[in-house]
Amino acid sequence: MTAFAVAVPLTLTACGGDDEDKATADPNRKIELQVFWWGGAKRAENTQKVLDLYTQKHPNVTFKVEQQPNAGYYDKLATRAAGGNAPDIFQLDDGGLAEYAQRNVTLDLTKYVKNNKIDTKDIPKGLIDYGVVNGKNAGIAAAQNTPGMIYDKTVLLQYGLNEPKIGTSWEEIISLGEQLAQKSGGKVQGIMDPSADYKALWLWLRQQGKELYTADGKVAVTTEDVKKWFDMWADARAKKAVPTADLVHTANTGDVTKQLVVTKQAGAAFLWSNQLAELQKSTQNTLSVTAYPGDPKGQFARASLYWAGSRTTKEADTVADVLNFMVNDAEAAKIQGVERGLPSNLKNRDLVAPTLSEPEKITVALERDLNDKFGKAPPAPPKGHVKLRSELITAAETVQYGKATTQQAAEEFMSKAKAAVGS
């Protein structure tokens, strides 16, 4: 679920956020809230149904919605926030949470958590803590998720290859890509090249006892680490275990409809486990999902996405009530399923299980199998993480297109990454 930001000033004037203290005596006054998120068609459908359900229960509250694919989402959000016109409710991932919180865009939800207006008793403490930035609740976990390697089961079986599983090594996955390309005569160009995927780099580092960031939010990865990472995938490219640069570039946008495992141009893609169901709708082949390659201790349970409120909203109390509804209401949970990840509310996880499609059940099973294998979750990424992710894509693509050596690309990435994060 990659989305990118631009460096737009987000310092705002104090023009809202405290208006709940001026609440009107009329509980039936008309309220319209703006809601903004990114995602595919299924997410748009589910989210709209949840908002409609809220309106059904609170007829005076309506919603003006806006949604789009991943690419460009943060650009638009940053522009709106810089103009003091952030949506009342908007979606963030852990790459944008600290940045928007530290730039004073997000509504501080702390008092709503403390007074149970946002009920967290059935949400794991780790997921709540993962939404805290500088001591303030900047967002509420919409769901829990982990990276997932989504693969084409039909294609692998067609060419007599074994399905990957938890613990399959990076070397074995590259070999799988090489065999797939050979056996298919190049019709299937191996597996997706994940050298531009920050999740893959981060988990690969964690498997070696390293981290992407230090505890105080500085860049921890080194030039040598990044070069080794780029080298591994340059070698895979030389073996024709991964697709051409043009195909990889198309998939790097994050658009689920352009993933090479859906277009049948690669046998596996590196995404999020919950995206299996959405991708399955775009192909007649049978897809499945497993952990990213390597030791599963590199992976961790994380808030896949957050719902946040705008500090400038004039309806903070209602915003908090809507957020509470979206993460805790049982009917809302059934509508949303696991499209954004496992429900953050543990009771709702059990509730939605019978309603899930087969791909969704596979996702839940993976999360369950990984649960006792997860490594300790790091703190939420620091401000600048979204920019760092973008810089990794740029650097990786210079290697993929042969415009830079792995050393040059690693040095350029580190320079840009430290500038983005401020370390």
Side-chain angles (χ1 to χ4, degrees):
M1 296 183 179
T2 308
F4 310 107
V6 293
V8 177
L10 296 179
T11 302
L12 306 176
T13 58
C15 54
D18 295 321
D19 290 327
E20 68 271 19
D21 297 328
K22 305 173 184 177
T24 176
D26 181 8
N28 298 314
R29 63 193 175 88
K30 299 298 182 182
I31 297 173
E32 182 183 71
L33 299 179
Q34 296 180 340
V35 186
F36 186 34
W37 71 88
W38 79 82
K42 184 61 175 178
R43 180 174 300 173
E45 177 185 352
N46 289 352
T47 308
Q48 184 65 64
K49 286 181 178 179
V50 169
L51 296 176
D52 289 345
L53 180 62
Y54 186 89
T55 297
Q56 181 182 328
K57 296 185 176 186
H58 307 82
N60 62 310
V61 181
T62 57
F63 301 94
K64 182 178 181 180
V65 304
E66 185 177 4
Q67 62 89 26
Q68 66 175 60
N70 304 26
Y73 173 84
Y74 276 116
D75 293 341
K76 184 176 292 186
L77 180 59
T79 300
R80 291 189 58 175
N85 187 37
D88 297 283
I89 296 171
F90 50 94
Q91 178 178 283
L92 292 171
D93 63 6
D94 56 4
L97 185 75
E99 183 157 354
Y100 279 79
Q102 291 174 11
R103 290 181 173 179
N104 207 21
V105 176
T106 57
L107 176 67
D108 182 5
L109 301 171
T110 304
K111 76 173 186 179
Y112 297 106
V113 171
K114 287 184 175 180
N115 65 17
N116 292 321
K117 296 296 184 182
I118 296 178
D119 187 355
T120 62
K121 70 177 183 298
D122 294 318
I123 300 175
K125 184 177 183 297
L127 289 183
I128 297 300
D129 291 345
Y130 204 54
V132 175
V133 179
N134 294 336
K136 299 179 179 180
N137 288 90
I140 296 298
Q144 176 184 309
N145 202 7
T146 194
M149 186 176 70
I150 297 175
Y151 62 92
D152 190 327
K153 183 174 181 178
T154 300
V155 162
L156 294 183
L157 295 179
Q158 177 183 348
Y159 294 107
L161 298 171
N162 294 327
E163 296 177 55
K165 58 185 180 181
I166 296 174
T168 297
S169 71
W170 290 100
E171 292 75 18
E172 288 171 326
I173 288 298
I174 291 172
S175 176
L176 178 67
E178 186 178 7
Q179 294 177 65
L180 186 54
Q182 291 174 352
K183 289 178 178 290
S184 70
K187 182 178 178 181
V188 182
Q189 294 188 28
I191 60 164
M192 173 63 181
D193 177 346
S195 56
D197 176 20
Y198 82 95
K199 304 187 301 302
L201 171 60
W202 197 351
L203 269 57
W204 178 75
L205 288 168
R206 284 170 56 86
Q207 290 162 355
Q208 303 170 66
K210 302 179 181 181
E211 282 286 356
L212 187 58
Y213 299 108
T214 63
D216 59 351
K218 306 298 183 182
V219 175
V221 64
T222 67
T223 301
E224 182 181 6
D225 291 328
V226 178
K227 180 182 183 299
K228 286 181 179 179
W229 175 248
F230 286 163
D231 280 340
M232 182 165 69
W233 295 105
D235 290 344
R237 194 170 307 108
K239 296 175 182 177
K240 296 185 178 180
V242 296
T244 62
D246 283 339
L247 284 180
V248 172
H249 172 71
T250 298
N252 279 342
T253 63
D255 187 335
V256 294
T257 65
K258 296 179 180 179
Q259 296 307 307
L260 306 184
V261 74
V262 165
T263 60
K264 299 183 177 64
Q265 293 165 303
F270 296 84
L271 298 162
W272 295 104
S273 61
N274 69 299
Q275 291 180 288
L276 174 64
E278 185 74 7
L279 268 68
Q280 183 62 79
K281 293 176 181 177
S282 298
T283 177
Q284 293 180 339
N285 285 6
T286 299
L287 305 182
S288 193
V289 63
T290 189
Y292 270 31
D295 192 330
K297 73 179 181 183
Q299 305 210 187
F300 55 93
R302 61 180 280 279
S304 55
L305 292 168
Y306 301 91
W307 283 116
S310 168
R311 186 183 62 81
T312 60
T313 183
K314 296 179 180 179
E315 302 292 349
D317 284 350
T318 304
V319 165
D321 192 63
V322 173
L323 299 187
N324 180 66
F325 179 82
M326 289 197 290
V327 299
N328 288 317
D329 185 83
E331 291 179 77
K334 289 180 179 179
I335 292 171
Q336 294 178 103
V338 295
E339 196 281 330
R340 281 184 169 89
L342 298 182
S344 52
N345 181 304
L346 295 178
K347 288 184 177 179
N348 286 342
R349 290 188 193 181
D350 295 333
L351 187 65
V352 303
T355 71
L356 300 180
S357 66
E358 188 59 31
E360 290 170 335
K361 290 178 180 177
I362 293 172
T363 296
V364 171
L366 173 64
E367 293 271 352
R368 184 179 61 246
D369 291 345
L370 283 171
N371 193 53
D372 61 354
K373 300 178 179 68
F374 281 135
K376 182 180 178 181
K383 182 176 72 173
H385 176 61
V386 173
K387 180 64 174 174
L388 179 146
R389 286 163 28 181
S390 177
E391 294 296 351
L392 180 63
I393 292 175
T394 299
E397 289 191 348
T398 63
V399 177
Q400 292 162 7
Y401 278 104
K403 296 180 179 179
T405 65
T406 56
Q407 179 69 34
Q408 291 169 336
E411 291 176 355
E412 181 68 10
F413 167 72
M414 288 301 299
S415 175
K416 296 289 182 63
K418 289 181 178 180
V421 176
S423 59

